[in-house]
């Protein structure tokens, strides 16, 4: 910080005072209203100095380290632009006693560094005005405004590209066999957990704000896509089993229990059991040995001593329904191979166009 004051006339070229002599002179009681932490530089001696020149100018220079408060709006984070201000005014002398103003230079504050690790300085402005305090009165105030733009390179490499690859990795399950249950479940669950961990690490270094940020929209969308890929596998797996247990209802369970009981009675009666039928047929409970390929035959003895072999329901009759379910599951996977990348590509176009072009990042 450097303060300057004009004096009427002097009879010498220049006078300089060191830090020890500065303490015995009067200095303005200026302070920074938006300061949070501040410290003087005292290594190896207090870094402050007075200089009185022949053209009647008194310069007071001191080295300070300041941490200033800056209200940030993170709606577009990490595509955001921030404006931070530095205010300087007298604490005890009002505007009638001290009038502060910037020097007539184009840049009163040196701008040697215009790029920071996370931000880039894209503009600055300097102004002086009067601040009206209800108790203290009217004071002269200096204001310096700095416009920052966040550097997005770090976030592209550390956040956007990894999450993009994780989403694409979750689509690999669409090319795996439907019956590869352990592989597809493991791939889907790990993708969901990785996206959740990545989102938590992003928000850990940010203030806890109640509104949605641009990075939140990206992370939430990626989480939805990897979770949808896991749900798609569940649907495909259900389709493969569609029809394989068709007819296993209470009525068939009762009928199955009845057949088991009848077979037990037939074994007790040396394999023969007679039963009456409304159509005048007599059924023999013995079962022929022709049960290859899941076919069972029942011997039917008619009243006129005729014999008829009646084919029972084959277990292979369920095979067409099972194959139909497998076909539906394959269609679901093929549709997902096209639909998921297409929708995600549309989201990327809208997302990047909006935050880079529309917001003039």
């Amino acid at each position: 910080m450097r303060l300057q004051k004009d004096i009427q006339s002097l009879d010498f070229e220049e006078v300089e005072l060191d830090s020890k002599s500065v303490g015995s002179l009067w200095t303005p009681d200026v302070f920074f209203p938006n300061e949070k932490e501040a410290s003087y530089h005292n290594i190896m001696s207090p870094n402050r100095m007075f200089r009185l020149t022949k053209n009647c100018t008194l310069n007071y220079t001191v080295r300070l380290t300041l941490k200033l408060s800056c209200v940030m709006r993170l709606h577009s984070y990490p595509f955001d632009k921030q404006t931070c201000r530095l205010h300087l005014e007298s604490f005890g002398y009002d505007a009638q006693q001290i009038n502060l103003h910037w020097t007539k230079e184009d840049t009163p504050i040196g701008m040697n560094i215009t790029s920071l690790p996370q931000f880039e300085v894209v503009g600055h402005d300097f102004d002086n005005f009067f601040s009206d305090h209800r108790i203290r009165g009217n004071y002269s105030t200096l204001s310096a405004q700095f416009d920052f733009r966040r550097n997005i390179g770090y976030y592209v490499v550390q956040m956007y590209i990894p999450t993009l690859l994780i989403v694409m990795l979750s689509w690999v399950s669409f090319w795996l066999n439907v019956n590869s249950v352990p592989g597809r479940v493991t791939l889907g669950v790990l993708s969901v957990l990785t996206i959740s961990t990545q989102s938590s690490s992003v928000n850990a270094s940010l203030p806890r704000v109640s509104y949605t940020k641009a990075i939140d929209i990206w992370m939430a969308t990626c989480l939805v896509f990897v979770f949808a890929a896991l749900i798609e596998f569940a649907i495909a797996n259900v389709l493969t089993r569609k029809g394989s247990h068709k007819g296993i209802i209470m009525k068939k369970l009762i009928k199955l229990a009845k057949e088991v009981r009848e077979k037990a009675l037939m074994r007790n009666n040396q394999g023969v059991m007679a039963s009456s039928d409304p159509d005048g047929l007599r059924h023999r409970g013995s079962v022929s040995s022709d049960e290859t390929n899941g076919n069972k035959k029942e011997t039917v003895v008619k009243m006129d001593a005729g014999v008829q072999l009646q084919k029972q329901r084959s277990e292979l009759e369920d095979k067409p329904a099972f194959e139909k379910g497998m076909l539906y599951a394959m269609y679901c996977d093929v549709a997902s191979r096209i639909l998921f990348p297409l929708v995600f590509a549309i989201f990327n176009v809208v997302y990047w166009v909006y935050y880079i072009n529309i917001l003039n990042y």
Side-chain angles (χ1 to χ4, degrees):
M1 181 181 67
R2 184 179 63 187
L3 300 179
Q4 178 176 307
K5 179 176 176 58
D6 294 333
I7 303 177
Q8 296 297 327
S9 61
L10 293 174
D11 296 333
F12 47 81
E13 293 291 335
E14 184 177 278
V15 174
E16 291 185 0
L17 300 178
D18 58 8
S19 59
K20 295 181 180 180
S21 303
V22 169
S24 59
L25 298 178
W26 176 87
T27 56
D29 57 344
V30 294
F31 76 107
F32 301 91
N34 58 336
E35 169 261 325
K36 296 180 64 178
E37 294 182 9
S39 62
Y40 286 99
H41 288 253
N42 296 319
I43 305 297
M44 297 177 55
S45 61
N47 298 164
R48 49 183 180 172
M49 178 192 67
F50 259 116
R51 175 174 294 171
L52 184 59
T53 61
K54 185 178 181 180
N55 58 356
C56 305
T57 301
L58 178 63
N59 293 321
Y60 174 56
T61 305
V62 60
R63 289 188 63 197
L64 298 173
T65 297
L66 300 173
K67 181 184 291 187
L68 305 174
S69 63
C70 180
V71 179
M72 291 190 173
R73 295 171 177 83
L74 302 174
H75 295 83
S76 302
Y77 176 88
F79 304 95
D80 55 326
K81 295 179 180 179
Q82 305 296 339
T83 299
C84 296
R85 294 175 174 84
L86 182 149
H87 296 300
L88 178 67
E89 66 180 47
S90 174
F91 185 80
Y93 298 97
D94 57 18
Q96 296 180 355
Q97 297 172 310
I98 291 182
N99 186 9
L100 301 176
H101 61 86
W102 296 107
T103 60
K104 297 181 181 180
E105 302 175 3
D106 295 335
T107 306
I109 298 180
M111 302 294 295
N112 297 327
I113 300 176
T114 59
S115 180
L116 302 173
Q118 293 192 34
F119 293 94
E120 180 181 355
V121 181
V122 294
H124 51 80
D125 188 25
F126 304 96
D127 190 16
N128 58 293
F129 54 89
F130 295 99
S131 300
D132 189 12
H133 300 276
R134 186 178 61 178
I135 298 177
R136 295 169 53 213
N138 193 18
Y139 288 80
S140 177
T141 303
L142 299 180
S143 175
Q145 175 179 306
F146 302 95
D147 299 325
F148 298 96
R149 182 176 62 189
R150 194 181 301 272
N151 296 325
I152 196 176
Y154 168 82
Y155 302 94
V156 171
V157 174
Q158 298 294 330
M159 297 180 186
Y160 284 100
I161 292 180
T163 51
L164 176 65
L165 295 178
I166 292 171
V167 173
M168 296 176 65
L169 181 63
S170 67
W171 299 339
V172 175
S173 63
F174 302 148
W175 275 264
L176 297 180
N177 196 311
V178 180
N179 295 325
S180 302
V181 177
R184 296 187 68 166
V185 170
T186 302
L187 184 60
V189 173
L190 288 180
S191 300
V192 172
L193 294 179
T194 305
I195 291 293
S196 301
T197 304
Q198 193 81 355
S199 178
S200 300
S201 63
V202 169
N203 293 318
S205 59
L206 294 176
R208 292 176 175 82
V209 295
S210 58
Y211 49 81
T212 303
K213 304 179 290 295
I215 193 67
D216 295 335
I217 297 176
W218 174 266
M219 289 296 181
T221 304
C222 292
L223 182 61
V224 168
F225 270 91
V226 297
F227 186 75
L230 184 61
I231 295 300
E232 187 275 341
F233 163 68
I235 296 174
N237 187 263
V238 171
L239 290 176
T240 58
R241 293 183 283 111
K242 182 179 181 182
S244 60
H245 302 288
K246 187 176 181 180
I248 303 299
I249 57 176
M250 186 60 66
K251 183 177 179 181
K252 189 169 182 179
L253 290 175
I254 296 175
K255 183 178 179 180
L256 183 62
K258 183 178 179 181
E259 291 178 355
V260 172
R261 186 172 62 253
E262 290 177 353
K263 290 181 180 180
L265 292 175
M266 284 190 294
R267 283 195 299 268
N268 293 334
N269 295 327
Q270 298 178 355
V272 179
M273 181 186 68
S275 59
S276 299
D277 193 86
D279 58 0
L281 300 179
R282 293 180 61 83
H283 296 255
R284 294 181 61 87
S286 60
V287 181
S288 64
S289 60
D290 186 12
E291 296 182 356
T292 59
N293 296 328
N295 295 328
K296 296 180 181 180
K297 294 183 179 180
E298 184 182 55
T299 302
V300 180
V301 181
K302 298 183 179 180
M303 297 301 295
D304 56 357
V307 179
Q308 178 183 358
L309 295 178
Q310 184 177 358
K311 187 177 179 181
Q312 290 184 343
R313 178 182 176 88
S314 172
E315 294 178 357
L316 296 179
E317 293 180 4
D318 289 336
K319 185 175 180 180
F322 177 76
E323 292 179 350
K324 190 176 182 180
M326 285 290 295
L327 188 61
Y328 286 156
M330 293 175 59
Y331 286 160
C332 184
D333 280 344
V334 172
S336 299
R337 296 173 190 175
I338 301 174
L339 186 62
F340 273 70
L342 179 61
V343 176
F344 192 67
I346 294 174
F347 164 74
N348 272 270
V349 171
V350 174
Y351 182 87
W352 293 99
V353 168
Y354 176 77
Y355 282 106
I356 292 181
N357 292 336
I358 296 181
L359 295 182
N360 295 323
Y361 176 75

